[in-house]
Amino acid sequence: MTERTENVFIEFQGVSKEYGTADRVFYALKDASFTIHQGEMVVILGPSGAGKSTLLNLLGGMDTATRGTIVSCGEEISSYNDNQLTGYRARNVAVVFQFYNLIPTLTAYENVALMKDIVNDTMDPREALAQVGLSEHMHQFPAQMSGGEQQRTSIARAIAKNPKLLLCDEPTGALDTNTGREVLELLVRMSREEKKTVVMVTHNSFFADIADKVIRVKNGGIESVTINEHPKDASGVSW
Amino acid sequence: MLKRKLLRDLWQNRTQFISIFLMAFLGLFVFAGIDAESNGIGLSTDAYYQATNVADAWVVGNGFSESEVKKLVNLEEIESVDRKIVIQGKAKTKDGDELDMELNFLESMQSSYPYLIEGEPFSTEKKGIWLEQNFAEARGYHVGDIIRLKYENIEFAEQIKGIIIHPEYIFYTLDSDSMMPNYGDYGYGFLSKLEYPMQESLAYNRLVIGQNQESVKDMDSITFKELVKSTLDREELVVMEQSQNLGIDSIANEQSQHAAMGIIFSAVFLVIAVMGIVTTMNRMTSNQRIQIGTLKALGFSKARITWHYVSYGIVISAAGSILGAVLGKLLLPSLFLPSMSAYYILPEWKTGMSNQSYGAIILSILVSSIVSFLSCRKELRDMPAITLKPAAPKNLRHSLLEKSRLWLSLRFSTQWNIRDILRNKARSIMGIAGVAGCTMLLVCAFGCKDCCDEMVVWQYGQLNTAQYKVMFSQSTSNLKKREYSQQFKGQLVQEGSCEFRTAGRVKTGNVTVIDTGNYIHYQDFDGNEIAPPSKGIAMSYKLASVLGLEEGDFVEWHIVGEKDWEKSRITMLYRTPVGQGITLSREEFAALHYQFAPTCLNTNMSIPDYIKDSDEISGVISLEQLKKDLDENMEMMNIMVGVLILAAVLLGIIVLYNMGVLSFLEKTREVATLKVLGFSSGRIRRILRQQNNWITVIGIVMGLMLGYFLLDGIMQTMTEDQDMPTVIYTLSYVYSIIGTWVVSTGVNTVLSAKVKTICMVDALKGVE
Ligand SMILES: Nc1ncnc2c1ncn2[C@@H]1O[C@H](COP(=O)(O)OP(=O)(O)OP(=O)(O)O)[C@@H](O)[C@H]1O
Ligand SMILES: [Mg+2]
C-alpha cells in the first residue's frame, strides 16, 4: 500500500451523511474512510439501501456530507460551497445514471454535444458516439432509442467530457445481460485504455472480479476494501 | 445546445406556451387597445387646444365696455381679453330652409383661434365669414360662395372665406336637452366685428380670456371667478372656466369614462392572464425537475440553468404582450372611431398608449420572468442528488374527510376527484379563478348595459312620465306659456344652471322649479315615490353626498345669471340618475322673490305641427326621440360591452383549456393506470367531467358575486353628475352562467376526448 500513497486520487476520511432530526438521526453513510488511486477501476458493492448512491453522490459533488473530509482530484470538496461544487463537477466529473437522464428534447448527438457548453476540450461528439457504437442512431431522440442505446448515449456523453473521474450508478441496472455486458466492457476499456478513474456502483457481486478495488458497503458503513491483483476481463464476467 | 433544447421544449409544450402567449396577447390587446383609445382622446384634444390656443375662461354678460377690458387686462392673472358678440342667427340655405346658425363677431383674437380646414386664415380685419365644416359640407357651401344670413329682422349676405372648426364647439346641440348632435342641420360661423349687422350698437356679450398661467397656478377657479366679478363689480356675470365649455367638458368626461371602464376591466383581465402565466410557468418548471437536476449534475452552473428557464418566460410573454399591445392599439380604437367622430368634432383622432400600457407590458414580462426565476430557483435550491429524484408528493396525509365514515360511503369517482382536487390545490384554485374570471367579466359586461337600460326606464318611465317636452323660445312671454300649459294640460317647468356653495366646496348643477302637475315624480333613496317638494328646497342625493350635506343642513346657492346668493335649508332628498341639483316648488321660488319663467312644458297631448313651427316654440322633444337618442348614445357602451364579452369568452377558453391540458398531462399516468385496471374510457371521461363540473360550479358562483362587486365599483367611480344604481337583471346572470358553462364544458369535452388517445404502455414506461 505504501508505495502507492503518492498518487492517492480520492480520499474519504470519517465521512457521514445524516438524515432526520436531531433526536432521530438516520445515517445513510456512517464514518466512511477509504482511498482510491488514479486510474483505478473501483466497484462499490452492497445490498439495497446500504448507502452506495449516497457515497457516489458525495464523491461527485452532487450532495454534501454531514461530517468528514472528502478529497478528490486534488481538491478538498467537503469544504466547498454550492458554486465551487458546480465548478468541481464541470471540471472533473462525469456521471452515468441508472436511468440515463438524457435531455428528452435533444437527440443523441445533441445530448453529447451539450458538453461543449460546459467544458472547452471535449471529444468530438461523433467520435464519442462511434466509440459506444451508436453512429447509426446519432439523430434519434431518447424516446426513440432502446434502454441500452440510451445508456450508451449517456456513456458517450460522459466520455465526451473527457473527465478525470467517471462515476456510474448501476449503469447496467436497467439493461439485459448482453447489453449490460457491452456497457460494462465500454467502461472497463475507459479505465484501462484511457487511464480514467472509474467508480461504479452495483449490487451485482460478479462485477467484483473485473475491478481493481472493491469497496463493500453495508448499513451505511464500509464493510471491507479489497484489492484485486488480477482483475478479469469484462467479457469473462458471469451474471 | 441549450438553445436547441429551449426551442424544442417550446415546441413540445406548445399548448402551454401558446396559451401563455395568448393570455399575454389578449390581456395587452384589450388593455393597450382601450388605453390607446382613451389616452388618444387626450392626445387629440391636447393637440387641438394647443394649435388653437383655446381660451382659459369666458365671461358671459351684456355690453362689455373697453374700460372693463382694460381693468381685466391690468390684472396680473390675466394675459389677454378679447370681446366678441355671439348671436343666434339663421342661415337661409339654397334650398330655402332657415337653419340655426350661431354667429361670432370678434373684435380681436388673442386666443381660441378657429382651426382652418380650407380657405384663407381668419382675421378680425378681413371681411366675410368662416363657416363651420359640417354645415358647409351638408349644405353644399364652398369657399368663395355667398351665404345669406338673418338676425332678428335683418338679412345680410357674406362671402365664405374659409371652412373651419372651432375648439369651443367640439360638441354642440341646438338645445341642452337633446343628447345626439345633428351636425349639418345647424352650424356656426366666425366673422370680424366689422361685419356685425348693427354697427351702431356693438353690444359685446362675451369676453374671451387668456390667463397668465404663472400667476393663476395656485389659484382655484372659484377665486378666479370672484376676482373677475369683483374687478368689474358685476355680480350677475357668469364666468366659465375652460372645463365648463360643453364640448371640452363632454369630451373630457367621455375620455375619463372610457379610461375608467377600460382600465378597470382590462386590469382585471390582465390579472387573470398574469395568474394564468404564473401557474403555467410554475408547472412547466416543476415538470422539468429531473432535467434540471441532470443539467446541474452535468456541471451547468445555477446561473446558466436559471437563465435557460427564465428565457422561456421572457421570450413568450414578451412576444405575446408586445404583439398584443401593438395590435390592440392598431385595431381597438378604430371600433370606437365612427361613433366618437359622429359625436365630437376634432381635426384629427390620434391614438397612443399611455405609460400605463408600457407599464402593463413590462409588468407581464417581468411577472413571467420572475415566476420562472422563482420556480426554477426552487428546483435548484436542493443538491442535485435530491433534484434527480422525483419530488416527494407534498400531501401524503389523509385528510380528515378521508378518515370519516362519510368517505367510505362515497363513490370511487367522488373519492378520486376530491383527492385529486385537494392534492393539486394550486391547479384547482387556478381552474376556479379562470371560470370565476370568465363569469365575472360576462356579468360585468351584461350588467353595464342593464344599468344603462335601467337608467332610461327610471328616468323616462318613472321620474318623468310626459310623452312630450315643449321647449319655449327665450322671447316667449310668460302669459303665452301659461296659455300653452292650459291648452295642452301640461306641467310647466323652469330649468337652469346653479352654483352651490358649502364650507368645503363649490359645485355647479341644475335648478328645477316645478309648477303643479302630474308628470314630474320624486323618489326616495330606495325608489319609493314621495310627494314633490313644497316648502324649502329639495336636493338630489348624489349632489348632497358630493357636498357632504344631509337633510336639514343649509346650502348656499346661486342661479347662474342672477345676482344674489340664497341660503336655504334642505327639506327633502330625492334620487335621480341625471341632472343632479335642487328642486323647488313654484310657490317657494316666488317666496324667494324670483319670477317663475318656465323653460319648457311637459305634456302627454301631441303637439300640432303649426305650433311646433311657431316662433314661440324652439322645439318639441318626444319621449320616443329621447329614448332613441339615448340608445344611439349607448353605441359606445355597446362596443365596449361587446369587446369585453368576446374577450371574456376567449380568456375563459384559453385559461380553462390550458389548465385542462396541464392537469391532463399530470393525470396521464393515473388515467393510464385506471385503464390498465379495466376502467372504460367512457367511465374515466365521466370522472374527469365530474371534477370539471365541480370546479365550474364553484367558479360560477364566485364569478357572479365578484361580477356584481366589480360593476358596483365601476359605477361608483363613474362621474359625479350621475347616480347610477348597480342593477343586474336576472337574465344577465343567466346569460353569464350559460356562457361560462358552455365555454367550460366545451373545453372539457375537447380535452376528455383525449382519454382515448392515452397509450397505456407509453404512459407507464418512463419514470418521468
Ligand atoms: N432524502 C433522504 N431522506 C432520508 N433518507 C434517505 C434520503 N435519501 C436516502 N436515504 C436513505 O439513505 C439510505 C441509503 O440510500 P442510498 O440511495 O445511498 O442506497 P443505495 O445503497 O444506493 O440503495 P439501492 O441499491 O437500492 O439504490 C437508504 O436507507 C435511504 O432510505
Ligand atoms: Mg442507489
Side-chain angles (χ1 to χ4, degrees), chain A residues 52-54 98 169-170 201:
Chain A
K52 306 182 295 290
S53 299
T54 307
Q98 177 174 3
D169 196 348
E170 309 203 19
V201 162

Side-chain angles (χ1 to χ4, degrees), chain A residues 19-20 26-29 46-55 57 98 169-170 201-203 217, chain B residues 386 389:
Chain A
Y19 286 111
F26 175 80
Y27 288 94
L29 198 65
S48 180
K52 306 182 295 290
S53 299
T54 307
L55 196 157
N57 286 339
Q98 177 174 3
D169 196 348
E170 309 203 19
V201 162
T202 177
H203 49 226
V217 188
Chain B
I386 294 172
K389 294 184 201 160

Side-chain angles (χ1 to χ4, degrees), chain B residues 513-565:
Chain B
V513 185
I514 54 163
D515 202 353
T516 45
N518 283 324
Y519 294 114
I520 315 275
H521 303 267
Y522 292 88
Q523 290 182 353
D524 67 7
F525 188 79
D526 301 314
N528 305 311
E529 173 125 15
I530 48 179
S534 51
K535 277 249 152 276
I537 63 163
M539 184 178 275
S540 64
Y541 267 103
K542 185 83 183 206
L543 179 66
S545 73
V546 167
L547 293 173
L549 294 172
E550 284 173 26
E551 200 175 319
D553 289 348
F554 279 94
V555 64
E556 285 185 84
W557 54 282
H558 161 240
I559 296 177
V560 171
E562 298 281 349
K563 265 200 181 91
D564 301 323
W565 279 86

Side-chain angles (χ1 to χ4, degrees), chain B residues 186-438:
Chain B
Y186 47 85
Y188 59 85
F190 276 75
L191 308 88
S192 153
K193 68 150 201 258
L194 303 170
E195 301 290 74
Y196 189 59
M198 292 177 285
Q199 282 295 322
E200 61 286 356
S201 61
L202 284 166
Y204 292 105
N205 57 7
R206 204 66 60 92
L207 295 180
V208 182
I209 294 182
Q211 291 173 335
N212 181 338
Q213 293 307 330
E214 262 309 296
S215 25
V216 294
K217 208 169 47 196
D218 301 321
M219 191 179 249
D220 63 36
S221 67
I222 309 301
T223 328
F224 180 79
K225 287 179 182 177
E226 288 307 319
L227 178 72
V228 172
K229 286 184 194 174
S230 61
T231 307
L232 299 182
D233 197 19
R234 285 168 70 173
E235 193 56 40
E236 88 280 6
L237 296 179
V238 180
V239 184
M240 295 200 312
E241 35 176 345
Q242 195 183 69
S243 63
Q244 283 177 297
N245 172 287
L246 179 65
I248 293 177
D249 181 43
S250 310
I251 199 165
N253 272 337
E254 187 84 45
Q255 182 194 357
S256 54
Q257 255 178 47
H258 286 207
M261 279 194 54
I263 297 300
I264 295 180
F265 264 126
S266 43
V268 170
F269 211 80
L270 205 60
V271 168
I272 297 174
V274 164
M275 271 169 59
I277 296 174
V278 170
T279 4
T280 314
M281 254 351 271
N282 196 359
R283 309 232 131 219
M284 276 283 315
T285 323
S286 342
N287 290 347
Q288 291 223 348
R289 176 190 165 87
I290 298 202
Q291 284 193 50
I292 291 176
T294 307
L295 288 176
K296 212 175 161 192
L298 290 177
F300 281 96
S301 68
K302 267 189 186 179
R304 281 285 292 281
I305 301 174
T306 309
W307 174 244
H308 172 69
Y309 283 92
V310 168
S311 52
Y312 287 56
I314 293 183
V315 169
I316 298 301
S317 59
S321 46
I322 291 172
L323 200 69
V326 168
L327 286 182
K329 175 192 181 277
L330 225 56
L331 299 178
L332 268 191
S334 54
L335 282 181
F336 294 87
L337 189 60
S339 29
M340 284 298 283
S341 59
Y343 215 75
Y344 300 104
I345 310 290
L346 292 183
E348 189 192 358
W349 289 90
K350 296 173 192 282
T351 59
M353 292 186 269
S354 72
N355 288 339
Q356 280 171 331
S357 290
Y358 295 110
I361 295 176
I362 293 173
L363 179 83
S364 90
I365 298 177
L366 214 62
V367 165
S368 25
S369 320
I370 291 175
V371 171
S372 16
F373 178 79
L374 291 180
S375 33
C376 182
R377 277 281 135 156
K378 193 178 72 202
E379 304 299 343
L380 281 172
R381 204 178 41 212
D382 298 325
M383 293 304 294
I386 294 172
T387 324
L388 277 167
K389 294 184 201 160
K394 265 178 249 142
N395 189 359
L396 286 177
R397 283 172 296 121
H398 288 273
S399 65
L400 275 178
L401 177 68
E402 288 176 40
K403 286 179 194 149
S404 71
R405 275 259 192 89
L406 181 71
W407 179 254
L408 295 173
S409 64
L410 295 175
R411 286 195 308 178
F412 167 77
S413 57
T414 315
Q415 291 178 342
W416 194 78
N417 277 325
I418 290 178
R419 250 191 221 128
D420 196 51
I421 287 176
L422 291 179
R423 301 245 162 101
N424 297 286
K425 286 198 188 73
R427 191 185 69 208
S428 312
I429 289 171
M430 187 55 215
I432 292 173
V435 176
C438 179

Side-chain angles (χ1 to χ4, degrees), chain B residues 412-413 416-417 664 667-692 748 751-758 760:
Chain B
F412 167 77
S413 57
W416 194 78
N417 277 325
F664 188 76
K667 282 182 206 156
T668 308
R669 273 175 75 80
E670 286 175 66
V671 169
T673 314
L674 289 180
K675 271 181 131 176
V676 173
L677 292 177
F679 283 79
S680 69
S681 288
R683 173 112 189 251
I684 295 170
R685 269 215 296 275
R686 271 198 300 281
I687 295 177
L688 295 181
R689 209 175 304 137
Q690 184 187 39
Q691 187 179 116
N692 185 67
N748 197 250
L751 280 175
S752 63
K754 286 192 171 192
V755 170
K756 262 198 224 136
T757 67
I758 290 186
M760 284 173 272

